[in-house]
Amino acid sequence: MLSKKLVTNILRGNKCIFCGKYGLYRLSDKRIKCKTCKSIYSLNKLKTDLEVLYFFYIELSARKAAKELGISYNSVSRRYMQFRVEIANYSDFEMGKLKGEIEIDESYFGGKRKGKRGRGAYNKAIVFGILERNGKVSITVVNDTTAKTLMDEISEKTEKGSVFFTDCFKSYKSLKQFGKHMKVNHQKTFGKGHNHINGLEGFWSYAKERFMKYHGINNKNYPLYLKEMALKDAFTCTFSVLHGTCS
C-alpha cells in the first residue's frame, strides 16, 4: 500500500513514480523527467490514470467513468482490461503453493440459459477454485472436470500433506494421494464444524452477484474478472489521497 505522503509527492512531481527518487524537472512540453532513471511522463496523464484506477476499484462501469472524466469509453475500457491483466499476473506470481486446510470446488459461469444447471451445464465456463482457509484463493478456468484435469491443478498449486475439503464429486476420489481428504455430502447434510466448503461457495456466490452488472463477459476473460475480485483491497490509501480522505 502506498502512503499518503508518497502519493502526494508523486502527484506533485516531487518524486519519480518509477524509481522513487527525488530530482525531477519539467520539460518544455510540460512533461517531467527524472534525473536518476531518465523516465519521462505527464503528471496530467498520471492523475487521469489514477482516477480511472479509482473508478475501477469502486466498480464504476467504464461507460460511467468515461463520462465522469470526460474521456472516451474505449480509453477507459482498455485501461480496465489492462488493470485486470496486471492483477492476474501479480496474483499468479505471488500465489505460491497453498497449504493447511484447503477447500476445493468447481462452479459454472455464464449467462442464464435454458437446460441443465451445475455440473455438465452446456456452453458455460468451468471455474476451478482452491481456497486456503484464512489465506489466498486460486482461480482457474478449466476445459473439463475430469479427475486428471483437477488432480493436475491440485498437484501444481497445493502442498502435499494438507487437509482437503471437497464435496463427493467422483473426480476427487484420488485426492487422498496428496493429503487427508474430508468429504461434504450435500445430499445428506451441509458441512458441520470444520468439514465444509463454505468459504469457496461464498466466493462463488459473491462473484456471480458481481457479474450480474456486466452485460456479457467473454469466457476467456472470466479468470481476469475473478482474480480482480480476489484482490480488490489493494491501493486503498492511494485512491483516498486522490479524494482527500486518507488519514
Side-chain angles (χ1 to χ4, degrees):
M1 182 184 295
L2 301 179
S3 68
K4 177 180 179 180
K5 183 178 179 181
L6 176 57
V7 175
T8 300
N9 277 326
I10 288 173
L11 292 177
R12 288 178 178 174
N14 298 329
K15 206 167 190 178
C16 178
I17 191 172
F18 296 102
C19 70
K21 301 292 185 181
Y22 289 100
L24 288 85
Y25 59 94
R26 294 186 180 275
L27 302 174
S28 58
D29 60 3
K30 297 184 179 180
R31 292 183 299 168
I32 58 175
K33 183 174 182 178
C34 176
K35 291 180 180 179
T36 303
C37 69
K38 310 302 181 185
S39 296
I40 299 174
Y41 56 95
S42 164
L43 286 177
N44 287 336
K45 182 179 182 301
L46 174 62
K47 186 169 184 180
T48 298
D49 286 343
L50 289 176
E51 290 283 5
V52 172
L53 184 57
Y54 171 74
F55 288 132
F56 172 79
Y57 169 72
I58 64 171
E59 299 183 346
L60 192 70
S61 72
R63 199 167 298 282
K64 289 181 179 178
K67 185 177 181 181
E68 188 75 21
L69 294 170
I71 58 179
S72 72
Y73 163 77
N74 287 338
S75 178
V76 176
S77 180
R78 185 170 58 252
R79 282 179 170 94
Y80 273 21
M81 192 54 66
Q82 288 172 347
F83 296 153
R84 292 185 178 105
V85 170
E86 289 301 320
I87 286 173
N89 291 340
Y90 173 82
S91 178
D92 291 340
F93 179 77
E94 290 290 323
M95 183 61 64
K97 287 204 170 189
L98 306 182
K99 59 185 177 180
E101 294 188 343
I102 294 174
E103 298 179 22
I104 294 174
D105 193 29
E106 342 85 57
S107 191
Y108 292 76
F109 285 76
K112 293 182 178 179
R113 298 181 178 93
K114 294 181 179 179
K116 185 177 180 180
R117 292 188 172 190
R119 289 186 175 114
Y122 173 70
N123 200 28
K124 290 199 173 189
I126 308 171
V127 183
F128 184 55
I130 306 174
L131 181 145
E132 178 186 299
R133 289 182 180 171
N134 301 315
K136 302 173 183 177
V137 57
S138 169
I139 303 296
T140 309
V141 171
V142 294
N143 293 324
D144 55 63
T145 57
T146 61
K148 183 181 185 312
T149 296
L150 301 190
M151 290 304 115
D152 285 348
E153 285 291 322
I154 292 166
S155 175
E156 179 185 346
K157 295 177 180 176
T158 66
E159 287 191 5
K160 275 195 172 184
S162 297
V163 181
F164 299 92
F165 298 86
T166 74
D167 59 18
C168 295
F169 186 38
K170 63 182 180 181
S171 290
Y172 297 131
K173 188 175 181 179
S174 61
L175 186 53
K176 60 185 178 182
Q177 65 183 298
F178 298 113
K180 188 174 182 180
H181 184 197
M182 306 293 291
K183 298 179 183 179
V184 181
N185 191 338
H186 285 157
Q187 292 183 345
K188 293 182 179 180
T189 181
F190 284 96
K192 294 181 179 180
H194 279 279
N195 195 23
H196 63 79
I197 52 173
N198 296 346
L200 208 42
E201 289 179 336
F203 180 79
W204 297 142
S205 297
Y206 164 75
K208 289 177 180 180
E209 180 183 351
R210 303 310 300 156
F211 280 166
M212 289 179 66
K213 69 178 184 177
Y214 295 110
H215 302 292
I217 299 174
N218 190 301
N219 278 5
K220 70 177 183 179
N221 290 331
Y222 271 108
L224 301 180
Y225 284 82
L226 287 163
K227 289 178 181 182
E228 167 197 343
M229 293 174 189
L231 207 70
K232 207 68 179 182
D233 290 332
F235 307 115
T236 304
C237 190
T238 303
F239 303 141
S240 300
V241 169
L242 292 174
H243 293 265
T245 60
C246 182
S247 58

